[in-house]
């Protein structure tokens, strides 16, 4: 097995463990047992369980960011729903890893792990602003969009763990949630009206 393949095996083992228990409860011994390797081999690739945790999170966020970078054909509504659908697909593909990603706010969280998680959230906000043509969002509007990313994360976690709501309808429901939040913000923030008006093009 190549060094890169062995490294990916360790990351895969860690993701399975991080997805089923809090990261602070996962030890090097747990990982080497799951990956069926020795401790010396583990330390050939990672200096600590924290370094492995960060690498595991990056493996998931890279997939999410890559999917958000894809631009679909169609109306703005169709493109936004496709972006959300892409997040659902990647979260499903990396089920254990995505659950671990959302658990990164545990006691082992660091500025590095938080930055990795924020990359996905920031990219999601950038996609919405790009689709609606807003170049200078107000603080309240940005807060609204960031809150919506929290709704997305919570919905995906519920879907992955409980199967509710059904994934076939999830992207439509999440876009509807965004519509409601934007309308509420526009009522309180004149700077957000432009996005509310632009949302007509998104069929909100």
């Amino acid at each position: 097995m190549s060094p890169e393949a062995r490294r990916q095996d360790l990351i895969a083992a860690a993701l399975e463990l991080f997805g089923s228990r809090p990261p602070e409860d996962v030890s090097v011994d747990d990982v080497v047992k799951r990956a069926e390797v020795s401790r010396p081999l583990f330390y050939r690739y990672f200096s600590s369980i924290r370094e492995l945790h960060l690498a595991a999170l990056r493996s998931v966020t890279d997939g999410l960011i890559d999917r958000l970078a894809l631009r679909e054909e169609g109306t703005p509504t169709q493109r936004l729903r496709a972006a959300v659908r892409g997040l659902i697909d990647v979260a499903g593909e990396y089920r254990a890893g995505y659950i671990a990603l959302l658990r990164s706010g545990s006691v082992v969280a660091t500025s590095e792990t938080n930055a990795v998680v924020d990359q996905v959230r920031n990219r999601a906000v950038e996609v919405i602003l790009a689709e609606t043509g807003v170049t200078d969002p107000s603080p309240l509007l940005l807060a609204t969009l960031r809150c919506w990313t929290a709704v997305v994360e919570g919905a995906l976690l519920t879907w992955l763990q409980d199967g509710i709501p059904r994934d076939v309808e999830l992207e439509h429901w999440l876009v509807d949630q965004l519509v409601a939040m934007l309308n509420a913000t526009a009522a309180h923030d004149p700077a957000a009206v432009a996005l509310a008006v632009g949302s007509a093009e998104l069929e909100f």
Side-chain angles (χ1 to χ4, degrees):
M1 182 177 291
S2 70
E4 181 57 27
R6 178 62 72 189
R7 184 176 185 276
Q8 291 303 318
D9 269 0
L10 288 167
I11 289 175
L15 285 174
E16 291 179 8
L17 292 168
F18 291 143
S20 60
R21 68 181 78 163
E24 63 269 21
D25 291 344
V26 177
S27 67
V28 172
D29 288 336
D30 293 327
V31 174
V32 298
K33 181 178 180 180
R34 178 63 63 92
E36 299 182 342
V37 299
S38 65
R39 283 178 64 91
L41 190 144
F42 173 93
Y43 287 109
R44 186 181 303 174
Y45 296 97
F46 300 99
S47 63
S48 65
I49 194 70
R50 286 177 180 269
E51 183 181 345
L52 175 58
H53 181 214
L54 182 60
L57 291 182
R58 281 179 173 156
S59 71
V60 179
T61 56
D62 285 350
L64 293 168
I65 291 172
D66 286 347
R67 187 59 186 82
L68 282 170
L70 298 178
R71 305 304 293 270
E72 301 285 340
E73 297 295 330
T75 67
T77 301
Q78 291 170 334
R79 293 198 300 271
L80 183 57
R81 284 178 177 164
V84 175
R85 179 73 235 175
L87 289 178
I88 296 170
D89 291 342
V90 174
E93 180 181 352
Y94 295 93
R95 180 183 180 279
Y98 190 80
I99 293 173
L101 178 70
L102 297 186
R103 285 178 172 169
S104 65
S106 66
V107 296
V108 300
T110 66
S111 59
E112 286 184 304
T113 58
N114 289 337
V116 169
V117 175
D118 282 342
Q119 285 178 356
V120 179
R121 295 168 178 160
N122 292 339
R123 181 57 188 153
V125 170
E126 290 171 2
V127 167
I128 298 169
L129 293 176
E131 293 295 354
T132 52
V134 175
T135 58
D136 188 24
S138 68
L140 185 56
L141 178 54
L142 282 177
T144 301
L145 298 181
R146 287 168 181 160
C147 287
W148 179 72
T149 67
V151 173
V152 173
E153 291 172 359
L156 288 179
L157 185 60
T158 299
W159 168 60
L160 291 172
Q161 293 182 322
D162 304 324
I164 302 170
R166 292 177 297 171
D167 61 330
V168 69
E169 300 173 350
L170 190 52
E171 71 268 29
H172 297 277
W173 180 75
L174 287 171
V175 172
D176 287 345
Q177 291 291 320
L178 178 58
V179 174
M181 294 175 73
L182 290 176
N183 286 335
T185 297
H188 296 274
D189 182 6
V193 172
L195 188 125
V197 172
S199 70
E201 299 179 2
L202 289 173
E203 302 171 9
F204 287 169

